[in-house]
Amino acid sequence: MTRVQLFAFILQTQIGIAVLSFPYDLHKAAGADGWISVLVAGVGVQLLLLGYALLCQRFPRQNLYQFAPLIVGKWLGNTLNAVYILHFTFTSCLILLMEMMFVELWILPQTNPGLIIVANCIVCIYMAKENIRVIARYNVLISLLIIVMLAIMLTNFRNMDYRYLLPIGQGGFHTILLGVKSSVLSFLGFEVVLVLNSDIQAQGKSLIPPILWANGLATFFFLTMVLICYLNFNPEALDFIPQPVPYYLNGISLPFLERLDLLFLSIWLVKVTSTQISYLYSAGKGLGLLLHNNEHKKVIYYLVPLVCLTGVFWRSENRIQVLEQITQFDSLIILGIPIVLLLLAWLRGKRGQLPI
């Protein structure tokens, strides 16, 4: 995988399920200052990615599942690997459940949910079982859809009112920090770089530029979404619109095009599927190393159906909230683990060697 493909892979994984409801969740946490929280969170993630890149550069052509036991020992290392596998699996389940909820609400309200699950299962197995080059090329191909999504969002400037953002800093520093927590969780996806490190062919070049550019563009995308919703909806009204992005697009009518919300959601589905494939591949990579002699393809054939079964037995709003809380809690832990591993590797002088 090249550095350009790495850039696209991380970008597509970050911009996924949170797009539709992120402005609402952010407004609940930080109010009108939520856009500031996005900027702060973007800078914070950049710093985390610097640490991740330094850790990966100490162990070239090895992924997290391989170098974690080298740093902290076999038993603790495999425990950490299990934590990451569960994180990737739970996140895949959450993506599927939220995708189904949005599809039923906005696109196919009369369609049998079982058909949506079967279609999702077929697509994920078809893609996630492939080698990383195929998945990376697919991510590069659909990267242009980000431009289309932004263009659709920027079709209407008539109702924007900058006064909805004033006064800046009205909620105080504490409120902005609450928004940062919500933003970082929506930015999730950059942690897959730890799994991709063994597949990157950088030829002595640094991994830092592509991953920082990917997160920078994701920050710009989320900031644009948030500002458009904040400028178009009264702050009091935004508290009662759980999916402000499609709601905003539903009210736009162009002379040559109707239902911009359906066009946007169709593109969004492609990107959500890409995010889910990335997480399934990351979970399968770990299970393949532990159970199938580093062959992730065998894992995908039973991992994807197990994940899709959650769409059958876990379909309720309350259960989705429980799974969301679990994912949020474990995300706060797994984001800090690589920094601890970096410090331990530096203190103990642990380094990997390029394979001959």
Side-chain angles (χ1 to χ4, degrees), residues 154-347:
L154 294 171
T155 52
N156 182 30
F157 293 93
R158 289 175 297 178
N159 299 321
M160 291 187 180
D161 191 342
Y162 71 92
R163 290 175 295 181
Y164 291 156
L165 301 180
L166 301 178
I168 295 176
Q170 58 188 277
F173 186 69
H174 175 69
T175 302
I176 293 175
L177 287 181
L178 290 176
V180 170
K181 176 184 175 183
S182 177
S183 299
V184 169
L185 294 175
S186 298
F187 275 52
L188 282 177
F190 58 87
E191 70 275 18
V192 298
V193 67
L194 299 166
V195 179
L196 301 177
N197 190 53
S198 59
D199 302 305
I200 300 170
Q201 297 177 347
Q203 297 178 347
K205 296 181 180 179
S206 174
L207 303 180
I208 295 177
I211 61 178
L212 293 190
W213 274 106
N215 181 67
L217 186 54
T219 302
F220 173 77
F221 181 87
F222 282 121
L223 179 63
T224 303
M225 296 289 130
V226 168
L227 285 176
I228 289 174
C229 292
Y230 275 32
L231 292 171
N232 279 278
F233 293 108
N234 185 289
E236 288 76 18
L238 193 55
D239 288 330
F240 298 96
I241 308 175
Q243 295 94 35
V245 172
Y247 191 87
Y248 157 74
L249 293 172
N250 185 256
I252 300 175
S253 179
L254 299 178
F256 55 88
L257 188 63
E258 292 284 347
R259 295 303 305 270
L260 282 177
D261 56 324
L262 289 182
L263 176 60
F264 184 92
L265 289 168
S266 300
I267 299 172
W268 169 81
L269 275 177
V270 175
K271 296 190 61 56
V272 170
T273 303
S274 174
T275 301
Q276 189 172 19
I277 290 169
S278 298
Y279 276 112
L280 288 169
Y281 174 84
S282 300
K285 189 84 170 176
L287 285 173
L289 183 65
L290 293 176
L291 304 177
H292 298 288
N293 195 27
N294 205 23
E295 292 185 23
H296 87 283
K297 185 175 182 178
K298 295 180 179 179
V299 177
I300 295 300
Y301 285 117
Y302 60 81
L303 178 63
V304 173
L306 286 175
V307 169
C308 289
L309 282 176
T310 61
V312 178
F313 299 106
W314 206 263
R315 287 187 65 247
S316 80
E317 190 171 341
N318 292 332
R319 290 177 177 178
I320 292 176
Q321 290 178 355
V322 171
L323 186 59
E324 190 173 9
Q325 291 173 355
I326 294 174
T327 305
Q328 289 177 352
F329 176 76
D330 93 287
S331 297
L332 295 176
I333 296 174
I334 64 99
L335 292 181
I337 289 177
I339 305 302
V340 176
L341 291 177
L342 174 62
L343 292 174
L344 290 175
W346 178 69
L347 291 173

Side-chain angles (χ1 to χ4, degrees), residues 78-93:
N78 287 334
T79 300
L80 293 179
N81 289 343
V83 169
Y84 272 87
I85 292 171
L86 289 174
H87 163 73
F88 292 134
T89 304
F90 280 142
T91 305
S92 298
C93 294

